[in-house]
Amino acid sequence: NAGVMQNPRHLVRRRGQEARLRCSPMKGHSHVYWYRQLPEEGLKFMVYLQKENIIDESGMPKERFSAEFPKEGPSILRIQQVVRGDSAAYFCASSPVAANTGELFFGEGSRLTVL
Amino acid sequence: KQEVTQIPAALSVPEGENLVLNCSFTDSAIYNLQWFRQDPGKGLTSLLLIQSSQREQTSGRLNASLDKSSGRSTLYIAASQPGDSATYLCAVTAGGTSYGKLTFGQGTILTVHP
């Protein structure tokens, strides 16, 4: 049973370009969460999605950021018109349908560098 | 607003020592508390999860305790090894929800030298 898969692991973009980060949850998991780890800062919650629904996006910046988790395929975190401050590690986590324990399983992260 | 603080920020110990990492949180209305390990350039590995109704959890050389009323948790590592070197993160989930909206501490960077 593969773990949470994220790609790309490393992404370099120039200011103004778009970044797309993908996350495939563990098999049987239908809840996906995105977290961001800025340099020298702790991990911060961004968004929580279930299949085809955004449940909580309270941690997502209001502009340029969007997330989706379609019926088929991975969850995607999209950052439009990237700026240097977007450089960070973006982690995806998943949990089972009945996440009564609240335990999350994290991917290895996607490290975005904006030049 | 929940805030999680971890002390110390960094710790360096010789191999074989027993050590304690501390975590405190400002809002005691939590659903659970998790300890994670993060290796450089890697993702997070869940070490222990303590539900709000529990006092402690053990896994191998690791023991985590939770005192919800005082807003504290400790992670005890027995007989430390160089392979334990990593950043240890504490995170809490808000009460009233079972989904994974975690609030993380800044972490403790542990170095165990031979």
Side-chain angles (χ1 to χ4, degrees), chain B residues 65-78:
Chain B
S65 67
L66 173 64
D67 184 342
K68 200 175 100 165
S69 60
S70 68
R72 296 178 190 276
S73 175
T74 60
L75 179 66
Y76 176 82
I77 303 177

Side-chain angles (χ1 to χ4, degrees), chain B residues 46-67:
Chain B
S46 179
L47 298 173
L48 290 164
L49 181 148
I50 312 177
Q51 300 296 343
S52 61
S53 58
Q54 298 174 322
R55 297 283 294 184
E56 67 176 337
Q57 284 284 347
T58 298
S59 176
R61 294 182 294 108
L62 305 179
N63 175 276
S65 67
L66 173 64
D67 184 342

Side-chain angles (χ1 to χ4, degrees), chain B residues 15-16 37-40 47 61 77 79-88 110-114:
Chain B
E15 182 177 6
R37 169 186 173 137
Q38 185 177 25
D39 292 282
L47 298 173
R61 294 182 294 108
I77 303 177
S80 58
Q81 303 170 357
D84 294 331
S85 298
T87 298
Y88 289 81
L110 173 65
T111 304
V112 181
H113 46 90

Side-chain angles (χ1 to χ4, degrees), chain A residues 35 37 42 56 58 100-101 111, chain B residues 31-32 99-102 106:
Chain A
Y35 285 80
Q37 188 173 38
D56 184 339
S58 58
N100 292 327
T101 64
R111 282 152 181 84
Chain B
Y31 183 75
N32 62 34
Y99 65 77
K101 188 175 180 180
L102 304 179
Q106 295 280 77

Side-chain angles (χ1 to χ4, degrees), chain A residues 83-110:
Chain A
V83 300
R84 289 216 173 104
D86 297 333
S87 295
Y90 292 83
F91 290 94
C92 172
S94 71
S95 66
V97 174
N100 292 327
T101 64
E103 186 172 12
L104 295 192
F105 299 84
F106 280 81
E108 300 257 299
S110 291

Side-chain angles (χ1 to χ4, degrees), chain A residues 25-104:
Chain A
M26 287 180 70
K27 187 177 180 181
H29 289 194
S30 61
H31 299 221
V32 164
Y33 316 82
W34 286 93
Y35 285 80
R36 178 166 68 174
Q37 188 173 38
L38 290 164
E40 309 304 324
E41 291 190 22
L43 281 108
K44 305 285 186 195
F45 168 82
M46 298 182 74
V47 62
Y48 162 46
L49 310 104
Q50 293 179 18
K51 284 283 187 182
E52 301 184 276
N53 287 303
I54 296 175
I55 307 301
D56 184 339
E57 57 182 349
S58 58
M60 194 96 96
K62 294 290 186 284
E63 297 179 350
R64 303 186 297 107
F65 284 72
S66 62
E68 63 176 11
F69 189 17
K71 186 177 180 181
E72 302 291 337
S75 174
I76 295 176
L77 180 67
R78 181 184 179 203
I79 311 171
Q80 296 178 287
Q81 300 174 335
V82 296
V83 300
R84 289 216 173 104
D86 297 333
S87 295
Y90 292 83
F91 290 94
C92 172
S94 71
S95 66
V97 174
N100 292 327
T101 64
E103 186 172 12
L104 295 192

